Amino acid sequence: MTSALLQSLAAATANHPLDRKLLVCARRSHGVELLRALTVSGTSWSGWEIATPWQLALDLVQDQLGNSGESIADEFRVMRLIDDAIDAVIAAGSPELRSAIGSASFRDALHRAVGLLRSAGKMPGSAPVDGVILKATLRVLSEYELHLHEGNMVDR
């Protein structure tokens, strides 16, 4: 038995066989898996396009950004900018990060933390903070935002 979601995708495919259909998923890989499952169940995925909310938002603002001279930082540039921010905070004398950063998983955790803090709208210095690692992470966030500003870029 197939899930209600796959049944709905199959019905949309049957009802609009030649139309363009947009499948919006949190991650592109989720959409790929859904369409693969649709195909396995016997329904063609012809006409389906996968998009993320991030891609849709970019489509809406891309012209405005181009007119203002700003560019959109893709995920690889974001990763590089956060790495540069981590390195700048360590170089400025953050012994907390220097001792912990040897672990690749800690660097990955900092990447996720910066993304989550930005998504939540947390700004460095907006509230008193306890915790050495959290303070260092907020310094990385501040440095990352500086790199974005200097590069005339926006991220998600």
Side-chain angles (χ1 to χ4, degrees), residues 116-156:
L116 289 171
L117 289 168
R118 286 203 36 95
S119 295
K122 301 293 182 193
M123 302 303 292
S126 61
V129 176
D130 289 330
V132 177
I133 296 296
L134 181 56
K135 286 180 183 177
T137 302
L138 288 171
R139 287 197 300 275
V140 169
L141 173 61
S142 180
E143 189 69 29
Y144 169 67
E145 290 177 348
L146 178 66
H147 287 315
L148 280 174
H149 180 72
E150 288 173 349
N152 209 19
M153 291 180 279
V154 296
D155 65 354
R156 53 184 148 149

Side-chain angles (χ1 to χ4, degrees), residues 14-15 24 27 34 60 76-77 85 91 107 141 144 152:
N15 293 336
V24 180
R27 297 189 184 282
L34 282 169
L60 292 174
F76 298 108
R77 179 159 295 176
R107 189 173 280 268
L141 173 61
Y144 169 67
N152 209 19

Side-chain angles (χ1 to χ4, degrees), residues 5 10 21 25 27 34 40 49-50 56 63-65 70 75 78 80 83 87 90 96 101 109 114 120 136-138 143:
L5 178 56
K21 296 167 283 295
C25 297
R27 297 189 184 282
L34 282 169
V40 168
E49 179 182 340
I50 302 167
L56 295 175
D63 290 339
Q64 280 180 314
L65 291 174
E70 293 178 304
E75 64 182 290
V78 167
R80 193 195 85 224
D83 278 336
D87 295 340
I90 290 171
E96 310 84 23
I101 204 64
V114 167
T137 302
L138 288 171
E143 189 69 29

Side-chain angles (χ1 to χ4, degrees), residues 52-115:
T52 64
W54 167 240
Q55 289 171 314
L56 295 175
L58 288 180
D59 288 346
L60 292 174
V61 299
Q62 196 150 11
D63 290 339
Q64 280 180 314
L65 291 174
N67 291 339
S68 69
E70 293 178 304
S71 64
I72 299 165
D74 64 19
E75 64 182 290
F76 298 108
R77 179 159 295 176
V78 167
M79 288 171 56
R80 193 195 85 224
L81 291 175
I82 292 174
D83 278 336
D84 291 349
I86 292 168
D87 295 340
V89 169
I90 290 171
S94 178
E96 310 84 23
L97 285 185
R98 185 182 312 276
S99 61
I101 204 64
S103 163
S105 61
F106 185 77
R107 189 173 280 268
D108 289 342
L110 277 174
H111 278 261
R112 286 190 306 276
V114 167

